[in-house]
Amino acid sequence: MPLPKIPSKPAALLSPQDYPKADKDKIVKPLALIEPVARKIEAAPPLAPRAKIDRIPVEKPPVTSSPVALAPKATTRRPSVKAGGQSKLFVLDTNVLMHDPTALFRFEEHDVYLPMMTLEELDNHKKGMSEVARSARQVSRSLDALVSGVEENEIDEGIPLAKLGNKDAKGRLFFQTKLQNIELPEGLPVGKADNQILGVVRALETQQPGRTIVLVSKDINMRIKARAMGLPAEEYFNDHVLEDTDLLYSGIMQLPDDFWIKHAKGMESWQENKYGTGYTFYRLTGPVVPSMLVNQFVFMEPQNGEASFYGQVRQINGKTAVLQTLRDYTHNKNSVWGVTARNREQNFALNLLMDPECDFVTLLGQAGTGKTLLALASGLAQVLETKLYSEIIVTRVTVPVGEDIGFLPGTEEEKMSPWMGAFDDNLEVLNKADTDAGEWGRAATQDLIRSRIKIKSLNFMRGRTFVNKYLIIDEAQNLTPKQMKTLVTRAGPGTKIVCLGNIAQIDTPYLTEGSSGLTYVVDRFKSWSHGGHVTLARGERSRLADHASDVL
């Protein structure tokens, strides 16, 4: 329908020729009706387009008959986080910064606030050679780089955390630059550092009533006191690899019973001889392939009497995977230093430990699942029989279960020997396997084994390089991610690293199952072609140990 002409004079009536022509049997109202006195404009009908009347100085009427036509156009621009009031202010406790020196840059678009007491405690902990002192000094250097070149009035307005190149940190850093009126519940001493930080959080809530103020602390009692005072408090979760350790990569996947039927189309198979053993390979595509990872073990145990299948994922190219059959270490002819696998998971673990192409192996499991015995037997076989590695190096974290017994006398190996009782027990088991050698033969073998096993302390690992070594890291669940990185980066050419641990037995303070260094490396190495992981499920130590693990 054509639009009417715009009137040339104010308060002029439209001529009959300017009215739109109506269709047959259809009533059409005029688009605009201008009265000379009141200059009143009627609303346009819903079926007609809105007329342009910008040149007519008239009053805007209320929306009556056509709200769609007269409503202004809606804006689609998203409001910024800070404009919408959704940005939070996180007050950091000192233990968060000493646990993770990069915690300042881990809060994305939110702002970070540092009380003066946090800076005081950082200053008190900066001296020494411990990991806490190193973290305190690193935080101090980061703060110095952020503050340098900033005017005094800019500090009150907040320093951009992205100043040092951390693009993910879009918030600002605020310091406690003014003395605040700290109001604490009666009975709490004001001079204590934790209580002063709680007072700062309460004062910030009073000063910024429309904003969410959250205290972040690794101290459980600090968070309990904060919640008792009605203050929001959270733990620092950024160092957690997984929120739920049940989701941790197990290295094993069970195939459905109809696996071969769904993946038989276009499947290729061939045989190869590797390291003196024949293997069968399968190249296939199908719906299960996208959920597979390199070096993951797959198995299928049909209940209808068919033969079981055990394999390992060797390659993944898009939607195509290559599976390889395994060497059966449950048979006596394939025993490793007299040790055979007693269950499916131990068979998987021995295939990883004896694979020269696998440089990094992690074994998880409860007490008695055979982690140490399998790792030590594989190491002895590859050091003394195949000569693949020159020697075995064993290390672990010296975290006591109970009270510390104090300093130990002797050399480095003599000081570490009380911590290596687990390896002595397993060496006795491995040495007793040879019944034909006699007492003198077993003694000579034990001396030879001792000469090829070196026990080292973690304190002297930085800067070292191990070439053609078989490195066993026992009780790896007590390592932090930073300590684990220090150890793994010691590997030189031809070195294999085996990490053993049980994340249910963590003795290091401030470490949980989700933030342990062992959990960290299992998650980060799960898709690497030269690394593998197996979670051992069934205990094989004794029926007493298995029952104790379940009921205690």
Side-chain angles (χ1 to χ4, degrees):
M1 183 181 292
L3 295 175
K5 296 180 180 180
I6 298 176
S8 57
K9 297 179 182 180
L13 294 175
L14 293 175
S15 62
Q17 290 81 9
D18 294 330
Y19 277 71
K21 295 180 181 181
D23 294 337
K24 188 176 182 180
D25 300 331
K26 187 175 181 181
I27 301 174
V28 178
K29 295 182 180 181
L31 294 176
L33 182 63
I34 303 175
E35 295 179 4
V37 179
R39 297 182 180 180
K40 193 173 182 181
I41 302 176
E42 295 289 335
L47 295 177
R50 186 178 179 185
K52 292 185 178 181
I53 52 174
D54 298 336
R55 298 182 185 176
I56 306 174
V58 294
E59 297 178 357
K60 294 183 180 179
V63 177
T64 55
S65 60
S66 179
V68 178
L70 295 180
K73 186 178 180 181
T75 58
T76 58
R77 185 179 66 88
R78 288 182 61 189
S80 64
V81 175
K82 300 195 177 194
Q86 298 175 1
S87 160
K88 297 179 182 179
L89 182 63
F90 288 100
V91 182
L92 300 190
D93 194 6
T94 315
N95 47 44
V96 174
L97 296 173
M98 291 190 296
H99 180 75
D100 182 8
T102 62
L104 289 170
F105 313 103
R106 304 285 189 179
F107 292 91
E108 297 179 348
E109 74 273 9
H110 303 290
D111 296 334
V112 176
Y113 187 93
L114 292 183
M116 197 55 65
M117 185 51 65
T118 297
L119 299 177
E120 287 286 338
E121 288 189 312
L122 279 176
D123 185 63
N124 294 334
H125 288 90
K126 70 180 182 181
K127 297 179 181 178
M129 298 301 295
S130 63
E131 196 67 30
V132 172
R134 292 192 188 97
S135 299
R137 290 194 292 269
Q138 184 175 344
V139 173
S140 300
R141 286 191 291 268
S142 299
L143 292 176
D144 180 58
L146 286 169
V147 174
S148 62
V150 178
E151 300 294 335
E152 185 177 353
N153 57 345
E154 295 179 359
I155 295 180
D156 294 335
E157 297 173 359
I159 303 171
L161 288 168
K163 178 182 176 182
L164 301 182
N166 300 279
K167 297 181 180 179
D168 295 335
K170 301 176 183 177
R172 290 179 171 270
L173 174 64
F174 294 90
F175 292 96
Q176 181 186 353
T177 56
K178 298 178 182 178
L179 186 62
Q180 295 174 339
N181 186 18
I182 297 177
E183 297 180 1
L184 293 173
E186 197 171 340
L188 280 180
V190 183
K192 194 174 180 182
D194 289 356
N195 297 337
Q196 287 199 27
I197 295 176
L198 292 173
V200 168
V201 177
R202 173 170 281 187
L204 287 173
E205 282 193 336
T206 307
Q207 295 173 4
Q208 305 181 31
R211 195 172 191 187
T212 304
I213 313 295
V214 181
L215 172 66
V216 182
S217 176
K218 297 286 290 183
D219 188 355
I220 298 176
N221 293 329
M222 178 87 160
R223 299 197 300 270
I224 293 174
K225 284 201 293 185
R227 287 168 185 149
M229 294 172 57
L231 302 174
E234 295 179 2
E235 189 186 350
Y236 180 67
F237 287 110
N238 196 273
D239 60 333
H240 286 211
V241 181
L242 294 172
E243 293 297 331
D244 187 4
T245 52
D246 293 337
L247 303 176
L248 184 63
Y249 173 62
S250 66
I252 303 170
M253 182 184 10
Q254 184 175 5
L255 299 176
D257 292 337
D258 58 349
F259 174 77
W260 295 113
I261 299 174
K262 290 186 176 180
H263 297 74
K265 185 178 180 180
M267 184 178 65
E268 304 175 22
S269 65
W270 68 95
Q271 290 186 345
E272 289 184 12
N273 196 336
K274 294 173 60 177
Y275 313 116
T277 305
Y279 296 95
T280 304
F281 292 82
Y282 301 92
R283 179 180 286 110
L284 44 84
T285 58
V288 183
V289 172
S291 60
M292 292 180 176
L293 293 173
V294 179
N295 280 342
Q296 186 179 29
F297 291 96
V298 294
F299 72 95
M300 184 172 59
E301 296 175 343
Q303 303 296 327
N304 55 5
E306 295 181 3
S308 302
F309 172 74
Y310 302 100
Q312 186 179 12
V313 182
R314 278 304 186 183
Q315 292 180 13
I316 292 182
N317 297 321
K319 297 181 180 180
T320 304
V322 176
L323 303 184
Q324 172 195 320
T325 57
L326 302 180
R327 187 173 185 180
D328 186 15
Y329 285 100
T330 60
H331 200 280
N332 287 328
K333 68 176 183 179
N334 295 327
S335 63
V336 179
W337 203 261
V339 174
T340 57
R342 292 189 179 182
N343 54 52
R344 179 180 61 231
E345 289 79 14
Q346 287 189 356
N347 188 24
F348 295 161
L350 283 174
N351 273 274
L352 279 180
L353 292 169
M354 298 298 292
D355 185 4
E357 295 296 324
C358 193
D359 299 333
F360 186 76
V361 179
T362 50
L363 299 181
L364 254 68
Q366 294 181 352
T369 50
K371 305 182 296 293
T372 308
L373 183 66
L374 296 177
L376 198 53
S378 302
L380 291 174
Q382 295 176 89
V383 168
L384 297 174
E385 290 182 355
T386 62
K387 304 291 193 303
L388 188 61
Y389 306 105
S390 59
E391 63 181 1
I392 300 175
I393 295 178
V394 183
T395 184
R396 60 165 287 177
V397 190
T398 54
V399 180
V401 177
E403 292 292 330
D404 200 342
I405 62 174
F407 292 102
L408 297 172
T411 61
E412 178 188 357
E413 293 210 7
E414 291 173 346
K415 289 176 183 292
M416 290 294 296
S417 58
W419 299 99
M420 295 301 169
F423 284 89
D424 294 336
D425 299 339
N426 285 281
L427 280 176
E428 289 182 13
V429 174
L430 295 173
N431 201 20
K432 286 180 180 178
D434 189 6
T435 57
D436 300 331
E439 186 177 349
W440 289 97
R442 284 197 297 269
T445 304
Q446 189 169 359
D447 292 340
L448 176 63
I449 290 174
R450 292 283 183 182
S451 65
R452 294 299 184 95
I453 297 179
K454 296 293 176 19
I455 300 173
K456 300 296 181 184
S457 174
L458 283 175
N459 301 333
F460 313 108
M461 286 293 183
R462 194 178 295 276
R464 296 199 61 180
T465 301
F466 298 119
V467 181
N468 291 330
K469 307 293 190 214
Y470 188 91
L471 176 61
I472 301 177
I473 305 173
D474 197 20
E475 303 295 337
Q477 76 275 2
N478 289 322
L479 288 168
T480 65
K482 192 172 181 181
Q483 290 173 326
M484 184 64 78
K485 179 182 177 181
T486 303
L487 281 178
V488 177
T489 52
R490 300 304 101 214
T495 293
K496 188 188 194 84
I497 296 182
V498 181
C499 294
L500 316 174
N502 179 14
I503 57 175
Q505 295 179 347
I506 296 179
D507 303 315
T508 305
Y510 296 123
L511 269 190
T512 61
E513 295 180 0
S515 61
S516 169
L518 185 57
T519 309
Y520 178 71
V521 292
V522 168
D523 186 70
R524 295 300 176 94
F525 279 87
K526 64 183 180 183
S527 57
W528 190 44
S529 59
H530 298 285
H533 168 71
V534 172
T535 300
L536 302 173
R538 282 177 283 182
E540 301 290 348
R541 178 171 289 168
S542 67
R543 58 189 178 190
L544 172 60
D546 297 342
H547 184 66
S549 298
D550 295 334
V551 301
L552 297 182

